């Protein structure tokens, strides 16, 4: 049983460009969340998707957007990249809605903005 | 607003010695509590979690944590540290109602000396 998978593993972008990161949740999970982890910091919640809709959002600008597909996989899009967007982006999945479910994380996508 | 404090940025422990990593939270009500570990360049792995019941929780890799409501703390312990335990450790909380999103501390980097 594959866990949470993310792609790409690493990527480098230029300021002002746009990036798309992808995530496949663990089998049986229908809820996907995205987190940003800057160097030396803990992960920060970006948003969560359930039933193809954004259900909850953290304190991130509209440049950060996402999508969830019918097969529960998800994309994170960041427009007009800034140097400060350089971070590890983690995808997390959990089974069904509700608090307290065990949340599983992927290995992350390292984004460097130059 | 909820917050998680890990007061120690770095801790160095000799191999074989005991370990305690501190975590304090600020929340309206007792949240769900988690400890995650992150090895360099890797995603997050769940060590243990507290939902209810016995306040001493056993986790993987020989770790345990104790929930103390009066101190709003959830400290992680291990009786004998191995060199492979060197990693970054994150304490996290989730609200008991609503959706499964995590608020993380800034992490404690554990260094193990021979």
């Amino acid at each position: 049983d594959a866990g949470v998978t993310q792609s790409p593993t690493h990527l480098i972008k230029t300021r002002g460009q746009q990036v798309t990161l992808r995530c496949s949740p663990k089998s049986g999970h229908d809820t996907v969340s995205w987190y940003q982890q800057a160097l030396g910091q803990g992960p920060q919640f970006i948003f969560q998707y359930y039933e193809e809709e954004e259900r909850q959002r953290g304190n991130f600008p509209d440049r950060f957007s996402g999508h969830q597909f019918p097969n529960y996989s998800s994309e994170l899009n960041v427009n007009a990249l800034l140097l400060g967007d350089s971070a590890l982006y983690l995808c997390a999945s959990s089974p069904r809605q509700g608090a307290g479910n065990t949340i599983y994380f992927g290995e992350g996508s390292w984004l460097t903005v130059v | 607003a909820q917050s998680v404090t890990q007061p120690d940025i770095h801790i160095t422990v000799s191999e074989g010695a005991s370990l305690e990593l501190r975590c304090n939270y600020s929340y309206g009500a007792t949240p769900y509590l988690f400890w995650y570990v992150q090895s360099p360049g890797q995603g997050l792995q769940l060590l243990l979690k507290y939902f209810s019941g016995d306040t001493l929780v056993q986790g993987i890799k020989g770790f345990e944590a104790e929930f103390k409501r009066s101190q709003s703390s959830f400290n992680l312990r291990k009786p004998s540290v191995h060199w492979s335990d060197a990693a970054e450790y994150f304490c996290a909380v989730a609200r008991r109602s609503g959706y499964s999103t995590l608020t993380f501390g800034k992490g404690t980097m554990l260094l193990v000396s021979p």
Side-chain angles (χ1 to χ4, degrees):
Chain A
D1 174 29
V4 181
T5 59
Q6 294 186 240
S7 64
T9 307
H10 295 82
L11 70 166
I12 301 173
K13 290 286 188 178
T14 303
R15 275 182 301 174
Q17 285 188 316
Q18 178 263 346
V19 67
T20 297
L21 308 178
R22 296 176 177 82
C23 172
S24 292
K26 184 177 170 62
S27 178
H29 290 188
D30 59 6
T31 301
V32 174
S33 301
W34 287 92
Y35 291 79
Q36 180 196 65
Q37 185 179 13
L39 202 62
Q41 300 293 316
Q44 285 196 293
F45 173 71
I46 302 174
F47 43 54
Q48 183 182 84
Y49 276 84
Y50 173 71
E51 291 189 340
E52 302 180 48
E53 292 192 357
E54 183 182 294
R55 182 166 69 179
Q56 195 169 3
R57 189 179 183 92
N59 188 25
F60 279 81
D62 292 344
R63 298 187 297 109
F64 290 76
S65 63
H67 189 77
Q68 185 179 33
F69 300 93
N71 66 352
Y72 307 125
S73 67
S74 176
E75 288 182 349
L76 164 66
N77 300 291
V78 186
N79 295 320
L81 284 166
L82 304 174
L83 295 179
D85 295 331
S86 296
L88 175 66
Y89 288 86
L90 294 164
C91 175
S93 73
S94 55
R96 305 178 62 182
Q97 58 179 320
N101 289 314
T102 297
I103 300 167
Y104 293 83
F105 283 84
E107 299 279 307
S109 293
W110 284 96
L111 171 64
T112 302
V113 182
V114 298
Chain B
Q2 59 269 29
S3 65
V4 179
T5 301
Q6 294 180 247
D8 303 306
I9 299 174
H10 296 99
I11 282 186
T12 300
V13 175
S14 298
E15 190 168 16
S18 63
L19 168 71
E20 182 170 31
L21 301 182
R22 296 181 290 165
C23 172
N24 292 93
Y25 63 89
S26 174
Y27 227 78
T30 301
Y32 294 128
L33 298 156
F34 306 83
W35 275 98
Y36 284 86
V37 61
Q38 186 177 41
S39 297
Q42 302 295 308
L44 294 164
Q45 181 182 23
L46 179 68
L47 285 175
L48 47 79
K49 58 188 179 185
Y50 173 76
F51 285 179
S52 63
D54 192 346
T55 57
L56 187 61
V57 180
Q58 302 299 318
I60 63 171
K61 303 184 179 185
F63 285 92
E64 65 179 27
E66 185 173 13
F67 167 59
K68 292 185 178 180
R69 184 189 307 273
S70 62
Q71 299 177 18
S72 297
S73 69
F74 189 55
N75 294 349
L76 181 71
R77 300 194 295 247
K78 186 170 184 178
S80 178
V81 168
H82 188 263
W83 64 266
S84 61
D85 293 324
E88 189 148 28
Y89 292 79
F90 292 95
C91 181
V93 302
R95 202 173 52 181
R96 285 183 176 265
S97 60
Y99 310 124
S100 51
T101 62
L102 295 166
T103 300
F104 286 87
K106 291 189 175 182
T108 297
M109 178 65 73
L110 173 64
L111 306 173
V112 180
S113 61

